[in-house]
């Protein structure tokens, strides 16, 4: 204190839990409507600005949406800022365009069908008003350019109809007043007309003009193929804007966006004898700011951080992140549920988020002794692991995402539920939402038992309800409706998530 002038402020507490509201839905199903397999959404991605959203589906299509409320409300925003009013903007997107990215193929050498399903979409840097994105199925990556082009039309022939003779017959029905049919070579069937010397002064050809109408055109600029023997599970853009990586079960390749016929293998975990194979690569992500760093996760629950400056083939990692197994907790399912299905870097690159079958884990890249926080996603399913194994649900790959400010994380679960956790120090935020027009209808306040997880509000199994397929809130859970894919807006608290063929959007 300096003479009583200095005021000591108490440290700010954790942010308050967000109040999530329904924003929009695209492709909403009517009651009893059957979902076509090809329409099920398999990838979601916001671009860096958050003004565009892309989804991919199992039919190989990519659908683009663009934000409209920022454009429509710019003037209103300025007026409200002048009056010092809070701005309660409702995020709104509209359908922009769609295109067929991949088609079903057949590998004749291996006698394998290659699905058209889109596994991942990544936005690239925009240029000259055009949008660029990468999309991949199991084997082939494509680089797309989506641009508005002015529609070219054939103008009306500026031929004077009364003077039209012989070759001057107009093909356009809007200009031709004469029902006289024309021959294939443009002559008239009734008179044998010959051109005068110097030609016809009244005959003018139609002109192609560019109209003011625009049309969105998607064009495949490059195809990156024949570089993966196994199914591609990840693609990730580099911060240098020039390169990207693609990962399959055993290898990670580095590509230049401009070169489609050559890639560099930077990670190869394939053993000399495949019988010695103990783990596979499940996900890979480049660092958001350091173009020489990337992380990849494995089926054993570990994350490896590698530095491309160390060597050309990065088989040795710079850091290994894994949580030691608790003594006495090992079971038949331990390795299966430890497999990491997705990893994401926070915007600043300091933290990583990983999702395994039961939990979300937040890691500090400067601390490899263990996760900073662990969040239980659906702990009430632990007694059901045997059933989940029988119906193959235990192998479902759930994605995860972080908010732009790094204060919250989110991931999906079954019964079309998704969970949002606060990861700021001291935060107890743990919200369960349903992908529907009423996202909070499933939440019932129940006292929960103390948990050893860092998130104090967790869902636990109700005793006596273990055989009836009922979760902690008394709702029956449905393993067939799973929310695997979701994305958080890069600058605002807005989440897009996929429930089968429907895209739901929420804001807080």
């Amino acid at each position: 204190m300096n003479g009583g002038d200095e005021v000591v402020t108490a440290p700010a507490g954790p942010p308050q839990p967000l109040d999530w509201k329904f924003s929009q839905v695209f492709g909403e199903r009517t009651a009893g409507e059957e979902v076509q397999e090809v329409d099920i959404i398999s990838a979601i991605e916001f671009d860096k600005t958050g003004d565009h959203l892309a989804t991919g589906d199992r039919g190989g299509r990519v659908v683009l949406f663009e934000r409209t409320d920022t454009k429509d409300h710019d003037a209103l925003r300025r007026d409200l800022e002048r009056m010092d009013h809070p701005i309660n903007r409702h995020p709104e997107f509209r359908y922009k365009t769609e295109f067929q990215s991949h088609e079903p193929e057949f590998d004749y050498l291996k006698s394998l069908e290659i699905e058209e399903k889109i596994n991942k979409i990544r936005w690239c840097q925009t240029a000259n008003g055009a949008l660029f994105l990468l999309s991949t199925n199991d084997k082939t990556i494509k680089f797309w350019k989506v641009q508005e082009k002015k529609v070219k039309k054939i103008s009306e022939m500026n031929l004077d109809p009364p003077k039209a003779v012989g070759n001057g017959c107009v093909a356009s029905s809007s200009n031709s007043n004469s029902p006289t049919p024309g021959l294939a070579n443009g002559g008239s069937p009734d008179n044998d007309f010959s051109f005068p010397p110097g030609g016809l002064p009244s005959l003018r050809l139609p002109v192609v003009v560019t109209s003011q109408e625009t049309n969105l055109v998607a064009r495949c600029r490059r195809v990156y193929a024949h570089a993966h023997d196994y199914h591609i599970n990840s693609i990730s853009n580099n911060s240098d804007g020039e390169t990207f990586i693609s990962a399959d079960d055993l290898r990670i390749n580095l590509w230049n966006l401009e070169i489609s016929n050559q890639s560099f293998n930077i990670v190869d975990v394939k053993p000399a004898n495949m019988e010695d194979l103990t783990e596979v690569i499940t996900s890979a992500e480049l660092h958001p700011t350091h173009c020489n760093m990337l992380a990849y996760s494995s089926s054993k629950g570990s994350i490896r951080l590698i530095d491309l400056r160390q060597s050309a083939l990065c088989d040795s990692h710079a850091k290994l992140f894994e949580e030691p197994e608790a003594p006495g907790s090992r079971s038949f399912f331990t390795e299966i549920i430890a497999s990491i299905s997705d990893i994401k870097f926070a915007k600043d690159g300091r933290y990583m988020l990983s999702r395994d079958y039961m939990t979300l884990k937040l890691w500090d890249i400067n601390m490899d002794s263990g996760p900073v926080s662990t969040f239980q996603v659906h702990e009430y399913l632990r007694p059901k692991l045997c059933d989940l194994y029988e119906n193959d649900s235990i192998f479902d790959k759930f994605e995860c995402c972080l908010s732009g400010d790094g204060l919250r994380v989110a991931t999906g679960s079954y019964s079309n539920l998704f969970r949002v956790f606060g990861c700021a120090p001291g935060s107890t935020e743990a919200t369960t939402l349903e992908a529907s027009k009423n996202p909070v209808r499933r939440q019932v306040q129940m006292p929960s038992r103390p948990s050893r997880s860092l998130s104090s509000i967790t869902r636990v199994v109700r005793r006596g309800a273990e055989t009836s397929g009922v979760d902690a809130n008394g709702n029956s859970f449905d393993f067939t409706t799973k929310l695997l894919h979701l994305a958080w807006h890069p600058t605002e608290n807005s989440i897009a998530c996929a429930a089968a063929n429907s895209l739901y959007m929420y804001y807080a």
Side-chain angles (χ1 to χ4, degrees):
M1 299 287 286
N2 293 328
D5 295 334
E6 189 179 323
V7 178
V8 178
T9 56
Q16 290 297 309
L18 294 176
D19 179 22
W20 290 94
K21 299 180 181 68
F22 169 78
S23 173
Q24 285 174 285
V25 58
F26 295 95
E28 186 182 18
R29 280 175 291 156
T30 55
E33 183 185 349
E34 194 173 332
V35 179
Q36 299 297 316
E37 179 81 10
V38 293
D39 294 331
I40 295 175
I41 296 171
S42 56
I44 300 180
E45 186 78 6
F46 280 105
D47 71 349
K48 280 188 177 178
T49 63
D51 290 337
H52 292 93
L53 175 68
T55 65
D57 63 26
R58 293 189 184 180
R61 294 180 298 258
V62 172
V63 183
L64 305 185
F65 302 88
E66 67 176 348
R67 189 162 182 178
T68 56
D69 61 299
T70 48
K71 295 177 182 176
D72 301 340
H73 292 74
D74 277 347
L76 176 63
R77 182 190 179 96
R78 285 193 293 271
D79 293 340
L80 289 170
E81 281 174 347
R82 284 193 206 102
M83 295 187 294
D84 217 15
H85 277 217
I87 301 167
N88 296 319
R89 195 173 60 214
H90 179 69
E92 286 183 10
F93 282 77
R94 72 176 177 195
Y95 169 87
K96 186 177 178 77
T97 188
E98 67 179 89
F99 55 91
Q100 188 72 33
S101 173
H102 288 73
E103 300 278 359
E105 298 174 51
F106 191 81
D107 187 334
Y108 293 98
L109 291 175
K110 297 181 179 178
S111 295
L112 285 174
E113 287 185 7
I114 302 170
E115 281 187 313
E116 66 270 36
K117 174 191 159 202
I118 305 294
N119 290 344
K120 294 287 179 191
I121 296 172
R122 289 292 180 266
W123 289 91
C124 302
Q125 291 180 351
T126 58
N128 301 326
L131 302 173
F132 294 90
L133 60 156
L134 290 164
S135 62
T136 185
N137 65 351
D138 286 339
K139 295 289 182 182
T140 307
I141 306 157
K142 293 186 180 182
F143 183 48
W144 291 91
K145 178 182 182 180
V146 182
Q147 190 175 28
E148 280 192 350
K149 290 200 170 182
K150 290 189 173 178
V151 178
K152 290 185 177 179
K153 291 184 174 180
I154 297 177
S155 68
E156 293 185 357
M157 293 173 73
N158 47 8
L159 170 68
D160 191 6
K163 297 179 183 177
V165 288
N167 241 30
C169 286
V170 182
S172 171
S173 60
S174 61
N175 259 20
S176 179
N177 298 324
S178 171
T180 306
L183 297 180
N185 63 358
S188 172
D190 297 331
N191 57 348
D192 189 15
F193 181 81
S194 59
F195 277 96
L200 282 171
S202 60
L203 176 64
R204 298 173 196 172
L205 293 175
V207 182
V208 176
V209 295
T210 304
S211 70
Q212 293 306 307
E213 292 179 41
T214 57
N215 199 9
L216 276 165
V217 178
R219 193 160 63 91
C220 183
R221 293 288 303 277
R222 283 177 195 86
V223 177
Y224 313 91
H226 313 300
H228 288 278
D229 292 330
Y230 304 93
H231 290 178
I232 297 171
N233 55 48
S234 305
I235 51 174
S236 178
N237 304 72
N238 210 339
S239 57
D240 60 13
E242 295 180 1
T243 56
F244 70 93
I245 59 166
S246 58
D248 65 21
D249 293 341
L250 299 178
R251 292 189 178 97
I252 300 176
N253 293 333
L254 178 69
W255 302 82
N256 188 301
L257 281 166
E258 301 295 321
I259 303 167
S260 60
N261 59 357
Q262 184 184 36
S263 66
F264 297 94
N265 180 225
I266 53 174
V267 175
D268 188 349
V269 299
K270 185 178 181 180
N273 183 359
M274 284 296 278
E275 290 181 2
D276 299 331
L277 183 69
T278 57
E279 62 182 331
V280 295
I281 298 167
T282 56
S283 182
E285 185 93 352
L286 280 156
H287 193 278
T289 55
H290 299 313
C291 61
N292 55 285
M293 290 174 63
L294 69 95
Y296 68 91
S297 60
S298 82
S299 56
K300 277 195 168 180
S302 60
I303 302 171
R304 289 171 174 84
L305 190 70
I306 62 175
D307 191 333
L308 298 175
R309 297 172 298 186
Q310 285 185 339
S311 64
L313 189 62
C314 304
D315 287 340
S316 60
H317 52 267
K319 283 187 177 178
L320 175 68
F321 302 88
E322 59 184 357
E323 191 170 25
E325 192 179 307
S329 63
R330 189 164 186 82
S331 71
F332 173 77
F333 304 110
T334 300
E335 278 196 18
I336 301 174
I337 64 174
S339 178
I340 294 173
S341 55
D342 192 26
I343 57 169
K344 291 283 193 323
F345 275 104
K347 201 173 184 179
D348 60 2
R350 170 72 186 270
Y351 295 95
M352 290 184 298
L353 182 67
S354 68
R355 169 72 205 261
D356 58 40
Y357 189 69
M358 298 298 287
T359 65
L360 268 178
K361 293 187 174 104
L362 189 70
W363 307 81
D364 185 336
I365 65 169
N366 296 334
M367 188 183 86
D368 53 7
S369 58
V372 177
S373 303
T374 301
F375 308 99
Q376 308 292 342
V377 179
H378 38 216
E379 191 62 22
Y380 56 86
L381 290 182
R382 199 170 286 276
K384 291 276 182 185
L385 289 178
C386 191
D387 297 337
L388 292 160
Y389 179 77
E390 289 291 328
N391 61 24
D392 283 346
S393 295
I394 202 168
F395 302 107
D396 287 334
K397 292 174 169 49
F398 292 94
E399 292 179 3
C400 58
C401 58
L402 296 100
S403 61
D405 56 15
L407 296 177
R408 293 173 180 86
V409 295
T411 191
S413 180
Y414 293 101
S415 304
N416 282 344
L417 300 177
F418 64 101
R419 307 212 62 193
V420 179
F421 299 95
C423 54
S427 174
T428 58
E429 181 176 355
T431 309
T432 305
L433 302 160
E434 182 189 24
S436 69
K437 286 188 174 180
N438 183 9
V440 295
R441 69 177 176 182
R442 282 181 174 263
Q443 286 187 308
V444 182
Q445 291 301 316
M446 283 187 59
S448 69
R449 296 180 305 175
S451 171
R452 285 176 293 178
S453 71
L454 292 178
S455 172
S456 64
I457 304 178
T458 56
R459 307 177 80 189
V460 294
V461 171
R462 241 191 215 169
R463 294 297 171 197
E466 293 174 0
T467 55
S468 60
V470 174
D471 67 15
N473 287 342
N475 302 295
S476 59
F477 42 74
D478 181 4
F479 299 139
T480 60
T481 55
K482 54 195 86 169
L483 200 149
L484 301 175
H485 312 285
L486 77 172
W488 201 303
H489 191 282
T491 58
E492 298 179 17
N493 286 323
S494 176
I495 291 179
C497 56
N501 65 330
S502 303
L503 176 67
Y504 286 91
M505 307 191 75
Y506 303 93
Y507 71 100

